[in-house]
C-alpha cells in the first residue's frame, strides 16, 4: 500500500512539472508573433533585452523607435543575440509595452 501511494505522489509531481513547461520547439523560421503578454513574459523580455542587446552596442532606448520599426529591428538583431524566436518575441513584447 505504502508503495502505491508513494508512486501516486511521484506521478502527480511529475505530471505537475511537465504541464508547467512552456511551449518549446516552435522556433526559427516563423515570423515573430506577438501573443498576449503575461507579466512573466514581459519581465523575462526585459531581462533578455538588458542582458543581450547591449553587448555589441549601447543598450538601445526602447523609446527610440515605434513598434513597427522595433519589430523589424528585433527580427534583425535576434539572430545576432542568438535569441530563439520565443525569446525574441518576449523582448519585443517588453519593448512594445514600455515605449
Ligand atoms: C552580435 C552583436 C549584436 C547584438 C548581440 C545585438 N546587436 Fe544590435 N546591432 C549590431 C550591429 C553591428 C548594428 C549596426 C548594424 C548596421 O547599422 O548595419 C546594430 C544596430 C542596432 C540598432 C540600430 C538599428 C537602426 O536602424 O539604427 C538597434 C536598435 C539594435 N541594434 C538593437 C538591438 C537589440 C534590441 C538587440 C537584442 C535583441 C541587439 N541589438 C543585439 C550588433 C548587435
Amino acid at each position: 500500500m505504502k508503495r502505491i501511494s508513494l508512486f501516486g505522489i511521484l506521478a502527480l509531481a511529475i505530471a505537475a512539472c511537465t504541464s508547467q513547461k512552456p511551449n518549446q520547439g516552435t522556433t526559427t523560421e516563423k515570423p515573430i508573433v506577438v501573443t498576449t503578454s503575461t507579466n512573466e513574459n514581459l519581465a523575462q523580455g526585459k531581462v533578455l533585452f538588458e542582458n543581450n542587446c547591449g553587448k555589441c552596442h549601447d543598450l538601445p532606448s526602447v523609446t527610440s523607435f515605434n513598434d513597427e520599426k522595433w519589430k523589424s529591428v528585433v527580427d534583425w538583431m535576434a539572430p545576432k543575440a542568438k535569441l530563439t524566436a520565443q525569446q525574441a518575441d518576449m523582448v519585443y513584447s517588453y519593448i512594445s509595452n514600455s515605449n
Side-chain angles (χ1 to χ4, degrees):
M1 265 321 227
K2 211 170 190 183
R3 235 190 191 167
I4 289 165
S5 62
L6 257 183
F7 178 77
I9 289 163
L10 198 69
L12 266 179
I14 290 167
C17 284
T18 48
S19 68
Q20 276 169 8
K21 266 195 183 161
N23 282 340
Q24 278 172 346
T26 51
T27 46
T28 52
E29 298 180 86
K30 287 189 177 174
I32 293 174
V33 180
V34 183
T35 49
T36 36
S37 359
T38 64
N39 287 336
E40 204 181 314
N41 270 2
L42 295 181
Q44 217 175 324
K46 184 179 197 292
V47 170
L48 285 165
F49 175 71
E50 287 172 352
N51 288 339
N52 296 288
C53 302
K55 283 183 185 166
C56 308
H57 40 64
D58 288 343
L59 195 63
S61 165
V62 294
T63 54
S64 300
F65 309 108
N66 62 20
D67 287 355
E68 206 181 319
K69 170 73 179 175
W70 264 124
K71 193 160 178 36
S72 54
V73 168
V74 172
D75 263 338
W76 178 29
M77 289 293 142
K80 287 189 192 291
K82 299 193 165 55
L83 300 181
T84 64
Q86 201 182 11
Q87 290 169 325
D89 197 13
M90 289 190 279
V91 169
Y92 176 71
S93 295
Y94 160 70
I95 291 171
S96 61
N97 272 275
S98 311
N99 61 5

